[in-house]
Amino acid sequence: METASSAAPLKRSLAQPPSSSDASGDSTLIDIQNLDFYYGAKQALFDINLRIPDKRVTAFIGPSGCGKSTLLRCLNRMNDLIDGTAVKRGTIKVRGVDIYGRTVDPIELRKRVGMVFQKSNPFPKSIYENITYGLRIQGVNNKTRLDEVVEKSLRGAALWDEVKDRLHESGLGLSGGQQQRLCIARTIAVEPEIILMDEPCSALDPIATAKVEELIHELKKQFTIIIVTHSMQQAARCSDRTAFFYMGKLIEFDETRNIFMNPKNPQTEAYVSGRFG
Amino acid sequence: MPPASHTPPAPAPSFAIQKERTRFLGLTLDECIQGFFGGNAVVAVIVLGLITLFLFREGSSFFRQNQDNLSIYRQAGLEYVDFIRTQEESHTALTRYLSDLRLRALRHHMDADGLAVADANARLASFDEFAGRFSDAVEPIRGLRSELGDVAVAIKTRHINNLNRIQQRAQLVAAGKPDEAAAVELETIDFAGEIVALTATLPLYEEASGAFATALNEIVATPPPLPTLELTARVARFQELTADYVATFPATIEAMRAWDHTAPVAFSESFTAFIFGREWLTASFWQDWYGVLPLFTGSLLVSMIALTLAVPLGVGAAIYVNQLATPAEQRAIKPTIEFISAIPSVVLGFFGIAVLGEFLRVASGWEWLAWFPGFPFAERLNALTAGCLLGLIAVPTIFTLAEDAINNVPRAFKEASYALGATRLQTIVRIIVPAALSGIISAVLLGLGRVIGETMVVLLCAGNRIAIPDFTAGLSVITQPVHTMTGIIAQEMGEVVPGSIHYRALFVVGLLLFFIALLINFVAQKIVRRYKISVG
């Protein structure tokens, strides 16, 4: 029933102990090698090599159009939904499994790799139905189980106290920040391993942003988080690693501290010090 | 507009921001353009207003004329005679039951007993004698009704001729020919005196009715033997029906005794006679009826058949094109479906008569389609044929609007659903269609509006039988010929005298159609507006 049996090969591999670790001792969860990605004839990513550590927050930064969102959407194969896109070269392995492999079902992949979008997008349904959607489509209809998951996910997204009395009202009636946390709750309800966040705070005011950032700190205990952001302060505040992209290329990837305090590449330095971008 | 002379003295040339605008009839170019577009909008509104006004003006006097129509029906005694006619018609229905019974018995003799036609008929001799006596028993009543009917029609004719002469005289006076006007002879009709000729026959009728009842009871008491239990049960049922029928006789006599030709016809009766009238009967030698119910139910039946076909096709195609089709398929399917609406409906009507009607009739005879309600049928033109074509006409409307509604569902919903591990089908069924539902419903409503107003196809293909479809036949009602509100206007408007009651009745039917269309559009707009708010 839930996280159906067809996911078995991927799931089993995901459960295996990490195969490698990087210099700082963190184990690698996602291993991207020599990735070239195209929108039709236009190449968007050039020879990306990146190892994303497990249970850490990794930030992708860079000016608009640098390919950071594209790479993020490669990780749960959301780009498949756009006609004419293709990975022409290279591999993306999650715990050693190539997610673009022929036998991989993108539906199963997306159950393991959740995503939060730039603009909060709750379904035009009740709060309760928004959270249970991911389970219901997997065939879970047990009321007790759904109730548990709703409470757990809303607590996990620090939203429970604010909405517990109106679970059956429309999710569209919440404020912008609450809607975004509802989307996070909806994502963690299906218990993914990785959460992708595509500029989750760009439409939020500073207070709502602070709440989401606080939440990210909490979530990284359980999940591996990859966040695309335009705000360098945000990257500095909440990520462990930062990758800087420019013109579809990965320029530099290091500990966040190093990227901001001691960048090795002059382009990175120019960007983080605000001289362009 | 401030005249040019009011402009303050020009400032220093270094800051020359003032400019004299070209004016045309005192208006700037911008104002002219604004006036042109505004004028177009006003014209559209005025035309709509004029149409409404015209329909009301032409239709409004119908109800007064119909009131007159109904009061003549009463004054001339036609209503009185119709008591007897109703009784006679119920008897005819009973004889039809008997002929049906005979057919079943004959079939039994031929199929089960293996007799030839002549032998089988011979076996039924006693039944025939029984049926004959039953059928003949009504003759005295029928004779009486016929005589009284002649009297009533004569009174009505004299009255109407007199009305015509009054009109003629008024016209002559208006034309300034008082001499000729005076030459037109008028008569005063003494309804009370004339009607006595009818009411005086009541004792005669009571006697005939009594004899009729006795005769029926006597005949029915000794039914002929029939071969099977099932048929014998039917005979018993027939006896019951006859007993019920005879039991209504005293009530009929009572009603005739209480009948009063001077009782006024209320204005509201003219209204209810139109809205709930079960008969649309015009140019009759007896009495004209303008009841919209057969036409309304006909329109409704055809529209429902059309929607049953068009909703799955239109909505299904919209979902496919918007969510599943490749760009190449989209480019092929959308214009093709939209092209259907470009086919003139009279051409579709021809197609319906020549191809679809014939095809459906043949198909209805196929063995493996026998489960379909109403199959097989003999009438080539019926509600089903018209409904199929109307469905085709509604598909583009429903498709285009439903596709719009689905297209308006934010892409973010779809992405969120996929990101949670939903399949395409789950996303469509659980997210996209519910989010677009109000848009889809209003698309269906506008499709209904399109179908109810369609004229040519129903006129050509619906069979044009003016009768309320027999809904007791269950679903097979869809294979009956019907007439529609639009069809009747198109068919009869050409041959009515302008200003006559029939002419006005057609306008009122048009008015009713107008209001139905208005209501449907109003509801559809309401739903769409709510939908826009909910998606934000």
Side-chain angles (χ1 to χ4, degrees):
Chain A
M1 289 293 270
E2 41 159 341
T3 53
S5 51
S6 56
L10 181 62
K11 211 175 156 189
R12 194 167 344 114
S13 317
L14 288 175
Q16 277 168 9
S19 51
S20 58
S21 53
D22 66 7
S24 61
D26 289 336
S27 59
T28 302
L29 179 64
I30 303 172
D31 188 0
I32 304 168
Q33 284 175 0
N34 309 105
L35 187 74
D36 283 354
F37 182 84
Y38 287 79
Y39 287 114
K42 186 176 166 290
Q43 189 167 3
L45 294 175
F46 298 84
D47 195 32
I48 306 289
N49 285 284
L50 190 60
R51 289 178 157 196
I52 295 169
D54 196 7
K55 301 279 189 290
R56 291 283 180 277
V57 178
T58 303
F60 289 179
I61 62 170
S64 296
C66 69
K68 54 192 190 306
S69 283
T70 303
L71 180 60
L72 192 77
R73 294 167 71 94
C74 282
L75 298 179
N76 66 346
R77 293 186 56 172
M78 281 299 272
N79 285 328
D80 290 12
L81 303 179
I82 302 166
D83 290 317
T85 60
V87 171
K88 290 255 170 87
R89 194 171 69 92
T91 55
I92 301 175
K93 287 182 177 167
V94 178
R95 285 215 210 282
V97 179
D98 182 2
I99 61 168
Y100 280 86
R102 228 166 29 82
T103 54
V104 169
D105 181 358
I107 303 295
E108 294 306 323
L109 171 71
R110 292 183 198 128
K111 287 177 189 164
R112 313 299 302 160
V113 185
M115 187 163 193
V116 176
F117 296 83
Q118 179 173 6
K119 197 171 168 291
S120 60
N121 54 357
F123 299 125
K125 297 170 182 282
S126 70
I127 294 170
Y128 186 92
E129 286 300 323
N130 260 286
I131 301 211
T132 53
Y133 178 76
L135 290 175
R136 284 193 196 274
I137 56 175
Q138 294 176 25
V140 179
N141 279 314
N142 180 325
K143 179 91 171 65
T144 335
R145 168 120 167 75
L146 292 178
D147 286 348
E148 274 170 26
V149 169
V150 167
E151 179 167 353
K152 187 165 158 243
S153 309
L154 283 172
R155 283 192 193 282
L159 194 59
W160 174 251
D161 292 330
E162 290 162 63
V163 302
K164 65 183 175 200
D165 298 325
R166 46 171 171 154
L167 290 177
H168 295 282
E169 287 171 34
S170 170
L172 294 166
L174 299 174
S175 74
Q178 287 173 327
Q179 285 192 13
Q180 194 60 294
R181 278 179 285 144
L182 175 61
C183 292
I184 294 174
R186 181 175 69 185
T187 305
I188 62 182
V190 289
E191 299 182 329
E193 205 154 329
I194 302 164
I195 299 176
L196 309 175
M197 296 186 175
D198 191 357
E199 299 182 41
C201 301
S202 65
L204 302 183
D205 63 51
I207 294 171
T209 301
K211 281 192 178 164
V212 172
E213 286 180 6
E214 217 174 290
L215 183 56
I216 291 172
H217 267 295
E218 283 300 311
L219 292 175
K220 77 172 179 183
K221 292 172 191 158
Q222 287 179 58
F223 306 96
T224 300
I225 295 171
I226 303 169
I227 178 169
V228 165
T229 177
H230 263 127
S231 153
M232 277 173 281
Q233 292 89 334
Q234 185 170 55
R237 277 196 301 265
C238 54
S239 70
D240 303 305
R241 304 293 170 89
T242 298
F244 171 61
F245 292 84
Y246 184 58
M247 307 275 277
K249 296 192 177 77
L250 173 63
I251 305 298
E252 192 168 348
F253 177 53
D254 206 338
E255 298 273 337
T256 300
R257 186 175 351 113
N258 292 343
I259 291 281
F260 285 95
M261 308 300 283
N262 189 18
K264 296 188 183 66
N265 190 297
Q267 278 177 320
T268 315
E269 194 196 353
Y271 183 73
V272 299
S273 57
R275 263 175 284 158
F276 83 100
Chain B
M1 282 294 109
S5 61
H6 281 192
T7 47
S14 60
F15 196 61
I17 57 166
Q18 282 178 326
K19 184 183 169 192
E20 195 60 30
R21 287 181 186 276
T22 340
R23 280 175 189 277
F24 182 72
L25 298 174
L27 296 171
T28 64
L29 187 62
D30 281 355
E31 284 162 344
C32 286
I33 293 172
Q34 191 188 350
F36 174 72
F37 288 123
N40 287 349
V42 169
V43 166
V45 172
I46 288 178
V47 166
L48 181 65
L50 283 179
I51 291 174
T52 320
L53 207 68
F54 173 71
L55 278 176
F56 266 108
R57 198 182 62 100
E58 293 296 311
S60 58
S61 53
F62 164 75
F63 292 108
R64 205 186 38 72
Q65 285 188 352
N66 198 29
Q67 190 185 7
D68 291 346
N69 176 35
L70 292 174
S71 48
I72 294 176
Y73 174 66
R74 180 165 293 167
Q75 282 177 327
L78 271 66
E79 191 178 34
Y80 184 77
V81 181
D82 269 347
F83 285 123
I84 312 179
R85 187 190 290 274
T86 312
Q87 189 183 29
E88 200 187 314
E89 276 165 6
S90 304
H91 177 264
T92 313
L94 284 172
T95 56
R96 267 204 298 275
Y97 188 97
L98 276 185
S99 6
D100 175 64
L101 204 57
R102 184 182 196 280
L103 195 67
R104 286 167 190 274
L106 187 71
R107 216 175 275 150
H108 172 82
H109 281 311
M110 288 170 65
D111 296 348
D113 304 346
L115 295 178
V117 184
D119 294 338
N121 274 327
R123 285 273 186 98
L124 289 170
S126 68
F127 184 86
D128 286 344
E129 198 252 316
F130 168 77
R133 280 201 296 147
F134 185 86
S135 153
D136 291 343
V138 80
E139 279 311 327
I141 297 281
R142 180 174 291 152
L144 191 62
R145 192 267 301 155
S146 174
E147 279 169 35
L148 295 183
D150 289 347
V151 175
V153 168
I155 302 175
K156 183 183 173 185
T157 313
R158 273 177 60 204
H159 178 65
I160 287 182
N161 287 344
N162 198 34
L163 287 182
N164 288 344
R165 280 196 296 271
I166 291 175
Q167 207 176 7
Q168 195 185 352
R169 182 184 265 190
Q171 275 168 0
L172 287 171
V173 169
K177 296 172 185 164
D179 300 342
E180 287 178 45
V184 177
E185 279 180 34
L186 296 185
E187 58 174 331
T188 40
I189 296 171
D190 173 20
F191 281 112
E194 301 273 357
I195 219 79
V196 170
L198 291 179
T199 48
T201 59
L202 188 60
L204 213 62
Y205 171 73
E206 279 180 47
E207 199 181 306
S209 179
F212 185 37
T214 324
L216 287 184
N217 284 334
E218 217 177 86
I219 295 166
V220 169
T222 52
L226 280 174
T228 68
L229 271 179
E230 194 246 336
L231 290 174
T232 317
R234 278 177 189 274
V235 171
R237 176 82 189 120
F238 176 72
Q239 286 173 310
E240 271 174 46
L241 287 173
T242 309
D244 290 348
Y245 171 57
V246 171
T248 63
F249 288 7
T252 306
I253 292 171
E254 212 41 54
M256 287 168 79
R257 200 172 280 147
W259 181 78
D260 174 16
H261 77 282
T262 58
V265 176
F267 187 71
S268 62
E269 270 178 66
S270 139
F271 199 76
T272 48
F274 175 76
I275 298 289
F276 302 111
R278 303 172 64 86
E279 259 183 301
W280 179 280
L281 196 64
T282 58
S284 151
F285 77 97
W286 183 251
Q287 168 68 15
D288 288 356
W289 294 106
Y290 301 97
V292 82
L293 215 51
L295 308 172
F296 182 75
T297 48
S299 279
L300 209 63
L301 180 65
V302 173
S303 305
M304 287 306 127
I305 296 170
L307 281 191
T308 312
L309 289 169
V311 170
L313 280 179
V315 176
I319 291 173
Y320 182 78
V321 166
N322 195 281
Q323 295 293 320
L324 303 169
T326 63
E329 283 176 318
Q330 282 185 2
R331 278 194 299 275
I333 297 173
K334 271 177 92 161
T336 309
I337 292 184
E338 276 153 19
F339 180 75
I340 296 174
S341 61
I343 305 175
S345 57
V346 68
V347 176
L348 274 181
F350 267 139
F351 172 78
I353 293 178
V355 183
L356 186 69
E358 193 54 36
F359 169 76
L360 283 177
R361 195 174 61 87
V362 172
S364 78
W366 293 342
E367 202 67 22
W368 59 276
L369 277 177
W371 56 270
F372 197 86
F375 279 17
F377 56 84
E379 288 284 348
R380 188 168 51 126
L381 302 179
N382 55 39
L384 183 64
T385 312
C388 287
L389 286 172
L390 280 186
L392 194 63
I393 287 178
V395 163
T397 309
I398 296 180
F399 167 79
T400 309
L401 294 168
E403 211 256 344
D404 265 3
I406 293 169
N407 207 27
N408 279 338
V409 174
R411 200 186 148 71
F413 290 168
K414 187 170 147 181
E415 289 200 328
S417 173
Y418 281 124
L420 288 167
T423 61
R424 269 206 308 199
L425 192 66
Q426 285 169 332
T427 305
I428 289 170
V429 173
R430 288 170 179 255
I431 300 296
I432 308 240
V433 171
L437 195 61
S438 33
I440 293 175
I441 290 174
S442 76
V444 171
L445 278 178
L446 291 173
L448 174 66
R450 175 79 183 77
V451 161
I452 278 221
E454 172 55 42
T455 309
M456 217 54 213
V457 163
V458 288
L459 186 62
L460 291 173
C461 302
N464 298 357
R465 188 188 68 177
I466 309 176
I468 297 180
D470 180 12
F471 286 99
T472 56
L475 265 183
S476 65
V477 68
I478 61 172
T479 58
Q480 293 175 6
V482 295
H483 214 319
T484 57
M485 294 192 286
T486 48
I488 202 96
I489 296 177
Q491 189 182 23
E492 297 186 346
M493 193 49 100
E495 57 201 38
V496 295
V497 184
S500 68
I501 177 170
H502 188 179
Y503 172 84
R504 306 236 183 258
L506 293 178
F507 267 96
V508 178
V509 174
L511 206 57
L512 187 61
L513 267 173
F514 181 75
F515 277 118
I516 292 173
L518 215 60
L519 183 75
I520 290 173
N521 275 279
F522 177 75
V523 173
Q525 273 182 9
K526 275 265 163 197
I527 292 176
V528 167
R529 207 161 295 154
R530 250 187 55 195
Y531 155 77
K532 284 207 171 120
I533 291 165
S534 79
V535 170

